[in-house]
């Protein structure tokens, strides 16, 4: 047990070193989903990983994709969180932080972000870690608040709203949340509930409440939750002295993005097709924003093209840190989708160093 602890400590130090090393503000990790109990493992695996590389076999050819970190199938939730932890420290230090889970439906985005009771994911672990960091802070002046919202077909839904009337799928369009940007470029979502979280157990209570609101309203809408984005925001405040008012120092966004699968493959029709289009539009808007932010001579950044990018505007650009976790399937039948996800992620990462990577 002590050896395991020592190895984790070493990994933590290494992750922190790497975070300090990054030149741009975006890091991209890739996680391969393991086979589940009922699933048959093939003798020849189409996807494999080695340190920072993902290798994909397709029709006798092999493609390599390089990332800041890769997580093979057997990776634990703990080993993923060790690599994410340093970015939480950055949030406490005043950077706006954005952690995004990207990938095809079923590849483990929710598992990574939320996890299970026995194997908690990034969000519950991050909540615990923030309170630990606050307790270590000499001045003990850090406080946190939480908001949760869902973006579905361009509509915003407040998951922590006090009234049940705006929690259902049907009433989403009636829920008026306005996205505003102030003179300093800070984003404000007018009307969005924000609850003060005083300790970890209360933070978990609110988080579970938001999750419940999200899942109960989707039960009749054929798994539509995979075609919506779920965003959890922690706002961090600091008070300078006993008599001073608290001031916001940063925001931490943890985002479980909608499934990135292409519409042709899913054979979608009707509402599913519209939902898929909305997701594809907002994900490509996200890709466009990241690309524009990384250009050497920065021009127009197209934030306004989707609600998702409007919301995240002040947490994607300068003075912020972005961590994208790309999720891929281990299955042969998903290889084309996997290559799309890997290409999307590689573009986001490669543009950082001004190396143009062609579209696949
Ligand atoms: P997504 O959010 O991308 O649609 P999920 O997180 O719902 O995918 O994952 C699909 C299924 O696979 C779930 O049953 C989940 O528990 C399981 N799963 C995903 N990733 C892992 C993992 N790393 N280890 C164990 N089970 C996983």
């Amino acid at each position: 047990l002590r050896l395991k602890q020592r190895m984790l400590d070493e990994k933590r130090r290494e992750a922190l070193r790497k975070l300090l090393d990054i030149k741009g503000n975006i890091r991209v990790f890739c996680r391969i989903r393991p086979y589940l109990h009922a699933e048959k493992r093939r003798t020849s695996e189409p996807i494999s990983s080695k340190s920072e590389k993902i290798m994909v076999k397709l029709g006798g050819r092999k493609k390599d994709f390089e990332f800041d970190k890769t997580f093979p199938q057997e990776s634990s939730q703990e080993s993923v969180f060790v690599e994410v932890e340093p970015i939480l420290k950055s949030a406490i230090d005043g950077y706006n932080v954005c952690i995004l889970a990207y990938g095809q439906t079923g590849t483990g985005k929710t598992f990574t972000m939320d996890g299970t009771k026995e194997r908690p994911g990034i969000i519950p672990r991050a909540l615990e870690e923030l309170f630990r960091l606050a307790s270590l802070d000499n001045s003990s002046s850090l406080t946190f608040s939480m908001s949760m919202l869902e973006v579905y077909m361009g509509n915003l839904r407040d998951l922590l709203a006090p009234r049940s009337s705006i929690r259902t799928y049907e009433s989403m369009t009636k829920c008026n949340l306005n996205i505003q940007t102030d003179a300093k470029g800070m984003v404000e979502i007018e009307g969005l509930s924000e609850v003060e979280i005083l300790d970890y157990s209360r933070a978990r209570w609110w988080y579970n409440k938001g999750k419940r609101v999200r899942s109960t309203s989707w039960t009749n809408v054929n798994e539509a939750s995979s075609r919506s984005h779920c965003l959890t925001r922690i706002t961090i405040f600091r008070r300078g002295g006993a008599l001073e008012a608290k001031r916001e120092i940063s925001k931490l966004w943890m985002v479980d993005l909608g499934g990135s699968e292409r519409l042709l493959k899913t054979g979608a029709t009707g509402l599913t097709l519209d939902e898929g289009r909305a997701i594809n539009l907002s994900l490509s808007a996200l890709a466009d924003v990241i690309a524009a932010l990384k250009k050497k001579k920065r021009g127009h950044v197209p934030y306004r093209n989707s609600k998702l990018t409007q919301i995240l505007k002040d947490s994607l650009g300068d003075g912020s840190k972005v961590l994208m976790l790309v999720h891929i399937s281990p299955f042969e039948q998903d290889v084309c989708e996997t290559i799309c996800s890997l290409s999307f992620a590689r573009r986001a990462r490669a543009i950082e160093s001004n190396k143009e990577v062609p579209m696949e």
Side-chain angles (χ1 to χ4, degrees):
L1 208 64
R2 214 178 286 159
L3 184 68
K4 198 176 158 208
Q5 188 55 44
R6 219 181 299 149
M7 278 165 68
L8 276 175
D9 285 346
E10 182 45 42
K11 278 195 173 160
R12 251 181 217 122
R13 276 194 291 275
E14 167 93 17
L16 188 60
R17 266 198 302 277
K18 280 192 184 151
L19 185 78
L20 295 173
D21 267 1
I22 48 170
K23 293 179 188 72
N25 71 335
I26 180 159
R27 300 192 77 199
V28 185
F29 295 171
C30 183
R31 186 176 197 183
I32 311 174
R33 202 205 80 176
Y35 290 89
L36 305 180
H37 287 310
E39 294 169 352
K40 280 235 162 66
R41 190 177 274 267
R42 289 291 209 97
T43 37
S44 95
E45 301 268 345
I47 315 287
S48 55
S49 71
K50 200 171 172 192
S51 54
E52 271 117 39
K53 262 200 193 132
I54 296 280
M55 283 84 76
V56 185
K57 280 194 225 145
L58 178 65
R61 287 173 54 210
K62 219 175 90 194
K63 277 171 176 285
D64 286 358
F65 295 83
E66 206 172 310
F67 295 102
D68 295 294
K69 182 88 200 162
T70 63
F71 297 100
Q73 292 188 29
E74 63 277 11
S75 304
S76 65
Q77 297 283 64
E78 193 168 31
S79 66
V80 173
F81 188 66
V82 160
E83 299 294 332
V84 173
E85 251 181 324
I87 211 167
L88 301 177
K89 179 80 178 52
S90 297
I92 299 270
D93 290 341
Y95 290 93
N96 284 348
V97 164
C98 200
I99 303 173
L100 303 157
Y102 180 94
Q104 180 190 356
T105 299
T107 50
K109 297 181 295 297
T110 307
F111 184 82
T112 296
M113 295 309 282
D114 182 33
T116 60
K117 198 158 179 263
E118 299 74 34
R119 299 160 78 189
I122 289 175
I123 300 175
R125 285 172 195 265
L127 293 174
E128 194 169 15
E129 176 64 8
L130 287 175
F131 284 103
R132 193 187 71 83
L133 290 170
S135 72
L136 297 178
D137 191 69
N138 284 339
S139 51
S140 309
S141 61
L142 289 168
T143 56
F144 308 108
S145 70
M146 182 193 275
S147 300
M148 282 175 82
L149 76 151
E150 185 172 45
V151 181
Y152 174 70
M153 290 177 74
N155 294 312
L156 272 55
R157 185 162 62 135
D158 185 350
L159 295 174
L160 300 183
R163 281 177 298 118
S164 58
S165 61
I166 53 170
R167 285 183 195 159
T168 61
Y169 158 67
E170 287 77 15
S171 57
M172 254 175 109
T173 46
K174 295 188 200 115
C175 171
N176 281 331
L177 295 174
N178 273 329
I179 310 167
Q180 301 284 350
T181 311
D182 71 12
K184 287 186 193 150
M186 291 295 151
V187 178
E188 170 69 30
I189 307 173
E190 281 176 0
L192 180 67
S193 306
E194 185 170 352
V195 294
E196 192 169 5
I197 45 171
L198 298 170
D199 54 35
Y200 173 63
S201 71
R202 263 170 277 196
R204 277 309 297 262
W205 189 88
W206 281 107
Y207 175 62
N208 289 341
K209 181 180 156 132
K211 276 198 320 186
R212 231 176 13 250
V213 169
R214 184 175 191 227
S215 61
T216 49
S217 62
W218 283 131
T219 44
N220 298 325
V221 198
N222 70 62
E223 292 294 310
S225 71
S226 67
R227 291 180 294 277
S228 67
H229 308 299
C230 181
L231 297 89
T232 304
R233 182 184 73 187
I234 306 296
T235 311
I236 306 176
F237 300 90
R238 188 182 280 285
R239 203 187 300 271
L243 298 173
E244 223 176 274
K246 67 179 188 182
R247 67 188 166 85
E248 180 182 322
I249 56 165
S250 62
K251 279 184 248 185
L252 163 66
W253 283 103
M254 293 177 278
V255 186
D256 189 348
L257 292 167
S260 62
E261 53 275 7
R262 288 156 309 158
L263 298 165
L264 283 177
K265 194 190 163 222
T266 57
T269 52
L271 182 62
T272 325
L273 183 68
D274 291 342
E275 291 167 337
R277 276 202 191 112
I279 285 294
N280 286 184
L281 268 177
S282 55
L283 292 177
S284 60
L286 179 67
D288 292 345
V289 163
I290 292 175
L293 285 169
K294 297 298 174 187
K295 286 226 174 87
K296 234 182 185 163
K297 280 197 187 121
R298 194 166 297 177
H300 170 67
V301 182
Y303 289 110
R304 294 203 64 81
N305 290 350
S306 78
K307 288 277 164 51
L308 179 71
T309 47
Q310 283 175 44
I311 294 170
L312 298 177
K313 184 176 175 185
D314 61 5
S315 303
L316 292 170
D318 285 338
S320 60
K321 290 186 193 262
V322 181
L323 176 61
M324 187 183 290
L325 292 129
V326 180
H327 293 78
I328 55 172
S329 150
F331 300 121
E332 191 140 33
Q333 68 265 27
D334 291 328
V335 159
C336 289
E337 211 55 66
T338 297
I339 290 181
C340 278
S341 293
L342 292 171
S343 305
F344 174 94
R346 185 168 69 172
R347 275 202 309 284
R349 183 171 177 264
I351 298 162
E352 171 183 52
S353 52
N354 295 310
K355 266 188 276 157
E356 285 298 335
V357 172
M359 302 268 284
E360 299 295 320

